[in-house]
Amino acid sequence: MSVRVFAPGRVNLIGDHTDYTGGLALPMAIQLGTTIEFQPGGNAIHLTSTHEPHPAELPISLTDPGAAAPDWAKYVAGVIAVTRPVEGGRGTVDSTLPVGAGLSSSASLELAVALALGFRGSALELALACQKAEQLASGVPCGVMDQLASASGVDGHALLLDCTSLEVTPVRLPQDTEIVAVHCGQPRRLAGSAYAERAQACQQAQSVIGPLREINDPSSLRALGDEALIRIARHVVTENERVRTFVAALRSEDLVAAGAAMNESHRSLAEDFRVSTPQLDALSARLRATPGVYGARLTGAGFGGCVVALAEPGVLKEGWVLEAVDGAHRQQE
Ligand code: GLA
């Protein structure tokens, strides 16, 4: 018996650095992703990748995923450690996702590995297991957005994620628009340590004023005292509100309002949350100034990677035109 699985990457349209405080995000699963052809059997896993010089060879009894080598094998090891498969197998990994672009190549790999290894469970269970795998593999306290988007994609729809209830609400994308991701030329760097610092600052703010998700009035953040902390918390609180605004704009097909929310999100990520770079700022400004572009913002963790733009079809001649696809699944068995 052989298994073929596909797990999509994701692009986040709006709502970044909100998931790990139980906030709102609006990603979509994309047509670029990871495919694994796999023959189950034995007590070890042997995976080769079309993009990696060295294979991932791991026993299913492994205990320390962070120690696995080469680097990409850590994600495979994380999945093994969390899902504890009853048997291993041999297979090949092929990905159409650019690495380090902020389109969730690691979440896509984790979900594909989990499904190849026979994971059975709901999309939410798959996402939570793979989030844990990512945390073990990378040591970064990531939220659930990437894995939940890859697991629960719906063709033609963005996904409104409520990261407190873990509810996923598909939101239909307007017909006559394009979603385009353009790489700023700078691979994501320092993302791990800076991400952990921001997550810690959010926790610090919450320990003083309670869940950021429940705050609607940014002026109440004054109670935090420290200006840098106020700005971090203000990004999260206003970003949750922008997700609501963006969803309402999509539902009423008000693309100008949707684009304005994206532009404001970029400004907030750059000035308040401080996860942008000069390259991301320059690229998003250039895209925003292109006739027919409604809005553009950095997408994902920041510190390099891609800008996502909402545009009239055909006006952007660069990057990847992204389509919203169904979530991770077995293609044959
Ligand atoms: C990374 C993390 C996600 C999310 C984004 C920022 O992609 O894996 O959980 O926090 O950054 O929105």
Side-chain angles (χ1 to χ4, degrees):
M1 182 190 73
S2 85
V3 182
R4 181 186 166 95
V5 300
F6 175 75
R10 67 97 186 92
V11 68
N12 192 23
L13 300 179
I14 196 159
D16 270 309
H17 291 281
T18 48
D19 60 349
Y20 48 85
T21 48
L24 303 175
L26 193 80
M28 65 187 216
I30 59 176
Q31 80 275 20
L32 307 177
T34 306
T35 301
I36 300 184
E37 308 263 5
F38 197 69
Q39 279 78 44
N43 293 326
I45 285 155
H46 181 104
L47 285 175
T48 53
S49 163
T50 47
H51 299 291
E52 299 285 344
H54 302 293
E57 291 185 87
L58 302 157
I60 56 171
S61 57
L62 68 84
T63 51
D64 182 7
D71 270 354
W72 75 279
K74 292 189 195 327
Y75 297 98
V76 180
V79 172
I80 295 172
V82 175
T83 64
R84 286 286 158 224
V86 291
E87 63 177 351
R90 298 181 74 83
T92 54
V93 179
D94 192 13
S95 176
T96 47
L97 278 163
V99 175
L103 300 177
S104 292
S105 57
S106 61
S108 159
L109 174 62
E110 290 145 16
L111 271 85
V113 169
L115 291 178
L117 289 173
F119 182 91
R120 305 270 162 178
S122 67
L124 177 58
E125 286 163 347
L126 176 63
L128 291 171
C130 290
Q131 176 195 16
K132 182 84 191 130
E134 168 94 30
Q135 292 174 342
L136 288 175
S138 66
V140 176
C142 70
V144 75
M145 170 173 66
D146 305 347
Q147 291 80 11
L148 194 51
S150 178
S152 30
V154 178
D155 183 68
H157 292 69
L159 308 165
L160 174 58
L161 307 186
D162 180 327
C163 297
T164 296
S165 68
L166 298 177
E167 196 183 341
V168 179
T169 309
V171 179
R172 184 179 293 284
L173 290 164
Q175 294 282 315
D176 44 358
T177 51
E178 239 167 40
I179 289 158
V180 184
V182 184
H183 202 294
C184 76
Q186 182 188 27
R188 280 195 329 184
R189 255 178 283 133
L190 287 175
S193 56
Y195 185 99
E197 275 170 33
R198 297 298 186 283
Q200 207 200 342
C202 289
Q203 295 315 328
Q204 195 188 332
Q206 297 199 119
S207 69
V208 180
I209 53 172
L212 292 175
R213 168 63 191 277
E214 285 166 26
I215 295 175
N216 295 315
D217 175 10
S219 71
S220 62
L221 301 174
R222 290 272 139 228
L224 290 170
D226 177 73
E227 184 58 27
L229 201 54
I230 290 172
R231 282 172 167 258
I232 294 234
R234 184 167 67 198
H235 164 72
V236 177
V237 167
T238 58
E239 186 80 348
N240 284 332
E241 187 54 29
R242 280 186 290 272
V243 174
R244 293 189 192 96
T245 303
F246 187 91
V247 168
L250 283 192
R251 286 184 173 143
S252 61
E253 306 220 350
D254 185 346
L255 299 171
V256 172
M262 291 174 83
N263 296 342
E264 183 54 22
S265 170
H266 184 92
R267 194 206 56 73
S268 179
L269 285 161
E271 293 176 15
D272 278 355
F273 212 72
R274 294 183 301 109
V275 292
S276 190
T277 62
Q279 288 89 334
L280 283 168
D281 289 345
L283 174 59
S284 61
R286 179 165 67 74
L287 297 182
R288 226 171 274 143
T290 307
V293 172
Y294 299 106
R297 60 186 288 282
L298 73 85
T299 183
F303 300 103
C306 282
V307 166
V308 62
L310 181 71
E312 286 172 16
V315 298
L316 290 176
K317 309 284 185 217
E318 56 194 311
W320 296 270
V321 175
L322 299 175
E323 282 150 34
V325 301
D326 286 336
H329 55 280
R330 290 180 184 79
Q331 294 182 318
Q332 69 188 41
E333 208 161 316

Coordinates of all heavy atoms in Angstrom, one line a residue, residues 158 295 315 333:
A158 N -11.3 32.5 2.4 CA -10.4 32.7 3.5 C -11.0 32.1 4.8 O -12.2 31.7 4.8 CB -10.2 34.2 3.7
G295 N -4.7 47.1 -1.4 CA -4.0 47.1 -0.1 C -2.8 46.1 -0.2 O -2.8 45.2 -0.9
V315 N -3.0 43.1 -12.5 CA -2.2 44.4 -12.4 C -0.8 44.2 -11.8 O 0.1 45.0 -12.1 CB -3.0 45.5 -11.6 CG1 -4.3 45.9 -12.2 CG2 -3.2 45.1 -10.1
E333 N -4.8 6.1 -1.4 CA -4.4 5.1 -0.3 C -4.5 3.7 -0.9 O -5.4 3.5 -1.7 CB -5.2 5.3 0.9 CG -4.4 4.9 2.2 CD -5.1 5.5 3.4 OE1 -5.5 6.7 3.4 OE2 -5.2 4.7 4.4

